[in-house]
Amino acid sequence: MQEYRFQFQKIPYSFNELDGLFSENAVKLHHLKHEYGYFTKLNKLVEKNVIFKKSSLEEIVRYFNQNKSDEENVSIKNNACGLYNHQIWWKMLTSKKKHKKPNSDIRSIIEKNFNSFEEFEEKFKDLSKNLFGSGWVWMVCKNGKISLASCQNQNNPISEGLGYPLLGIDVWEHAFYVDYLNRKKEYVNKFFEYINWDEITNRYFESEKSAL
């Protein structure tokens, strides 16, 4: 069995846990094909790369914020960010049955940075629905302030220096096309019914310790 430098993390629930948002088939395809592709490609790319010989996955992602002109290693950036994004993203989701409203901690923090939680939700959805092409939309925290950001392709808030990612939505077509075809708006609207707000809250408190 081949030894890999970076490990492939299993999703933290069964493949049918997100039923209603994603079918079991869609989750398997996304996790075992698309995400696994980033995993295998990244491991092969870093095998003989001196720069990233001892770097963790997050350290590789951070490197590209500090070295934006490094075109030679763009394939490593794409696959490292792709793997990182998915590893944190699955944890941000939960089943509709286990879904809870945002607790008072995260809700009050969001309301301090937006006029209301409802305004935050509306802006997050609008940004997600209107992102052109492939990419992600994120709620980020930087210097204690929460804001929204969109990133093209597999770029993320860390690689772009935008802050610490608290919540993200994958709006690549491969994320939703199996179940929604071209009905991207329907996918984005349903997404809020499957957010794991306990995880988002934990990430906010983690962000306070982050250098971002």
Side-chain angles (χ1 to χ4, degrees):
M1 189 172 178
Q2 186 172 355
E3 290 285 330
Y4 284 115
R5 159 95 171 278
F6 297 106
Q7 299 303 306
F8 187 63
Q9 295 182 5
K10 293 182 178 179
I11 60 173
Y13 32 69
S14 63
F15 289 118
N16 63 0
E17 189 83 4
L18 301 177
D19 185 48
L21 178 65
F22 298 126
S23 65
E24 181 175 346
N25 182 49
V27 175
K28 284 182 177 178
L29 180 65
H30 198 159
H31 180 56
L32 300 177
K33 297 296 183 183
H34 292 287
E35 183 183 353
Y36 194 77
Y38 301 128
F39 161 73
T40 54
K41 288 173 189 172
L42 177 63
N43 275 291
K44 288 175 182 176
L45 287 166
V46 298
E47 274 180 2
K48 298 178 181 179
N49 189 292
V50 177
I51 297 175
F52 306 112
K53 191 174 182 180
K54 295 183 180 179
S55 301
S56 68
L57 180 58
E58 185 168 320
E59 285 169 344
I60 294 176
V61 174
R62 286 174 182 266
Y63 166 88
F64 289 101
N65 175 43
Q66 300 159 350
N67 299 272
K68 288 186 167 65
S69 61
D70 187 350
E71 296 293 330
E72 187 177 337
N73 290 300
V74 68
S75 292
I76 289 179
K77 177 185 180 181
N78 292 340
N79 287 284
C81 289
L83 182 59
Y84 179 87
N85 291 348
H86 287 86
Q87 284 187 351
I88 65 173
W89 186 57
W90 296 114
K91 297 173 186 175
M92 296 174 181
L93 301 175
T94 188
S95 69
K96 193 169 185 178
K97 187 184 293 185
K98 295 178 183 176
H99 174 264
K100 297 180 289 187
K101 291 182 179 180
N103 59 52
S104 57
D105 285 335
I106 194 66
R107 190 178 184 98
S108 63
I109 290 161
I110 290 171
E111 288 172 344
K112 283 179 184 177
N113 291 271
F114 297 86
N115 289 326
S116 65
F117 183 86
E118 290 70 27
E119 180 185 288
F120 152 73
E121 183 175 340
E122 182 180 354
K123 287 186 173 180
F124 187 98
K125 287 179 177 179
D126 285 346
L127 205 56
S128 304
K129 292 171 185 177
N130 294 312
L131 187 143
F132 184 77
S134 300
W136 293 72
V137 169
W138 302 92
M139 175 172 70
V140 303
C141 185
K142 188 168 187 176
N143 300 323
K145 182 176 175 58
I146 286 178
S147 61
L148 300 179
S150 59
C151 296
Q152 292 292 329
N153 302 316
Q154 291 294 351
N155 295 336
N156 64 41
I158 294 177
S159 69
E160 304 308 298
L162 301 173
Y164 191 82
L166 305 182
L167 170 66
I169 181 171
D170 187 348
V171 285
W172 279 63
E173 279 196 348
H174 71 235
F176 62 87
Y177 204 82
V178 173
D179 294 322
Y180 298 92
L181 298 178
N182 64 339
R183 302 189 308 277
K184 181 180 177 182
K185 291 181 180 179
E186 183 182 339
Y187 159 56
V188 172
N189 286 334
K190 279 189 179 181
F191 179 80
F192 266 75
E193 299 172 20
Y194 294 82
I195 295 173
N196 181 353
W197 284 107
D198 288 341
E199 174 67 12
I200 310 311
T201 304
N202 291 339
R203 293 191 64 79
Y204 174 76
F205 291 117
E206 285 173 13
S207 74
E208 295 181 327
K209 306 170 190 174
S210 171
L212 294 172

